[in-house]
Amino acid sequence: MKQGSIIIRGVGSYLPRKVLTNHDLASMVDTSDEWIRTRTGISQRHIADAHETCSDLAYAAAKNALEDAQLKAQDIDLLVVATITPDMICPSSAAILQAKLGLRNVMSFDINAACSGFLYTLEVATYLLQNGNFYKRALVIGAEKLSSLTDWEDRSTCVLFGDAAGAFVLEHTSAELVGIRDAILGADGSSSETLYIPAGGSLHPATAETVAQRQHFIKMNGKELFKASVRLMGKAVEELLERNHLTKADVACLIPHQANLRIIQSLAQSIDLPMDRVFCNLEVTGNTSSASIPVAFTQAKNAHYFHSGDYIVLVAFGGGLTWGATLIKWP
Ligand code: UT7
């Protein structure tokens, strides 16, 4: 392993221009602005144009992150995209993005860990940068066009999701004990039907019947997910702090996956962290799965929510089930 640390040199995000409000949704399904706001904390979400793909959203966020890092695409030697809404099943969205960025001979791959996907990409890229001899800088991206897998006739799910992308430029530096310090990641496949897309894979390849039965859209047991998420995220944060000899008092900013404000409030209560140290933007973005944390992080950084020397904790959960928590010390 090399000496030094992996730092976040640049961040960027992209939200499609079109906004879908709760009032718009109330004219599409049997719901109301009041129900959505009180049960989820969401007021609006961004929806990509029909022609915009996952890799297009990723490209826009990547360009912003490169600009923030004052780097060119050619300075990158590793590309990882977290997504459950790739442009196609094959090739990966990362490979498509690589071409859009004009990169050549750069290892590029997707990671599917649902809403925990971005924390999985951070972990994998951090290890490659820290241990590989070749890699110096990575572009890690969470990008989702969830609107393409949302059942717009199902009020229990369509009010939750939005489209977005967020990106980090990670860099190996000789400075010690800053940047990405540690992470806890996990999965429990025994509860896979809590959030899933039944058809379109090798289990149920697409047929006229699977399409007619709306089996290509996201299905979710919201109540189960709600309970599991608070428990799993709370446990991950507690363990992460304990093994780094930190307490809640050391956490300047918690950036949780933006799924539901009530989940975030229950999490904060369960770990005894005041809400003024928790960053939330889901009111205007909805749940954007693997894009949620890098988008929130970019907004938190731009709004000066954290400063040099601060500890930041990222925490996520999602389909799989998957979960994770990442500790960052801002340089
Ligand atoms: O990123 C991970 C992905 N997903 C999540 O994190 C979601 C986690 N779960 C949740 O956020 C919440 O469970 C939901 C927001 C999905 C649902 O909230 P809830 O408080 O658990 O509501 P519920 O499912 O228990 O439904 C309560 C009532 C039901 O009516 P009855 O049976 O009490 O008459 C639903 O039919 O609300 C009804 N309902 C709605 N009403 C108006 C469900 N969806 C809607 C809706 N508008 N959109």
Side-chain angles (χ1 to χ4, degrees):
M1 185 155 88
K2 293 181 219 159
Q3 298 293 305
S5 312
I6 307 306
I7 56 157
I8 300 162
R9 170 147 172 191
V11 298
S13 64
Y14 173 73
L15 293 165
R17 215 168 339 123
K18 183 179 163 195
V19 167
L20 187 71
T21 66
N22 292 350
H23 295 288
D24 296 330
L25 279 165
S27 67
M28 295 160 61
V29 289
D30 182 14
T31 191
S32 66
D33 172 56
E34 209 253 329
W35 191 96
I36 303 169
R37 268 191 299 103
T38 53
R39 297 289 180 130
T40 71
I42 299 166
S43 293
Q44 61 161 62
R45 66 289 293 141
H46 292 253
I47 303 293
D49 287 341
H51 68 269
E52 266 182 315
T53 64
C54 169
S55 66
D56 291 330
L57 307 184
Y59 177 79
K63 292 295 261 185
N64 289 335
L66 286 167
E67 193 181 319
D68 188 46
Q70 298 182 302
L71 292 169
K72 299 188 292 299
Q74 285 65 29
D75 297 319
I76 298 299
D77 35 44
L78 172 65
L79 189 57
V80 195
V81 175
T83 189
I84 57 164
T85 53
D87 294 24
M88 300 175 236
I89 288 179
C90 181
S92 69
S93 294
I96 296 168
L97 176 63
Q98 188 209 67
K100 287 183 180 170
L101 286 168
L103 291 172
R104 293 285 177 273
N105 301 323
V106 168
M107 180 159 77
S108 307
F109 58 96
D110 287 0
I111 284 183
N112 174 344
C115 306
S116 312
F118 189 73
L119 299 192
Y120 274 55
T121 64
L122 273 186
E123 176 79 341
V124 171
T126 297
Y127 268 78
L128 287 169
L129 291 174
Q130 189 75 60
N131 298 297
N133 288 325
F134 175 69
Y135 310 105
K136 174 109 177 78
R137 292 190 199 95
L139 193 48
V140 294
I141 299 166
E144 300 287 8
K145 188 178 181 182
L146 289 175
S147 59
S148 63
L149 297 183
T150 298
D151 185 344
W152 293 104
E153 293 181 11
D154 175 9
R155 70 175 183 174
S156 70
T157 53
C158 75
V159 301
L160 302 173
F161 301 119
D163 300 333
F168 285 5
V169 175
L170 303 182
E171 181 175 79
H172 181 264
T173 140
S174 55
E176 297 284 347
L177 304 177
V178 290
I180 298 171
R181 303 300 314 134
D182 195 11
I184 287 180
L185 297 149
D188 175 7
S190 66
S191 302
S192 58
E193 292 193 3
T194 312
L195 194 161
Y196 70 127
I197 298 166
S202 58
L203 179 63
H204 298 299
T207 62
E209 207 181 352
T210 61
V211 173
Q213 291 171 347
R214 311 185 77 74
Q215 297 294 301
H216 296 267
F217 295 125
I218 299 168
K219 313 282 177 199
M220 187 183 78
N221 181 335
K223 269 198 183 320
E224 283 307 311
L225 211 50
F226 193 117
K227 283 186 275 178
S229 67
V230 175
R231 180 171 50 81
L232 294 168
M233 287 197 293
K235 192 162 171 278
V237 173
E238 306 255 3
E239 278 178 24
L240 186 69
L241 293 179
E242 194 180 321
R243 84 178 185 196
N244 286 278
H245 312 291
L246 297 170
T247 70
K248 284 134 212 172
D250 297 305
V251 179
C253 183
L254 179 81
I255 302 184
H257 170 47
Q258 306 286 312
N260 183 322
L261 185 60
R262 290 189 298 134
I263 292 178
I264 295 173
Q265 288 166 335
S266 302
L267 167 69
Q269 195 176 21
S270 79
I271 59 172
D272 196 21
L273 195 73
M275 278 300 285
D276 62 3
R277 280 195 265 150
V278 181
F279 186 82
C280 294
N281 68 346
L282 83 174
E283 186 184 358
V284 292
T285 61
N287 177 350
T288 61
S289 189
S290 33
S292 132
I293 285 185
V295 170
F297 190 98
T298 301
Q299 293 180 356
K301 181 195 167 239
N302 293 342
H304 307 290
Y305 259 73
F306 44 82
H307 305 95
S308 180
D310 279 350
Y311 281 107
I312 305 154
V313 174
L314 315 179
V315 62
F317 73 96
L321 297 178
T322 57
W323 60 89
T326 302
L327 178 70
I328 294 164
K329 186 167 190 191
W330 199 241

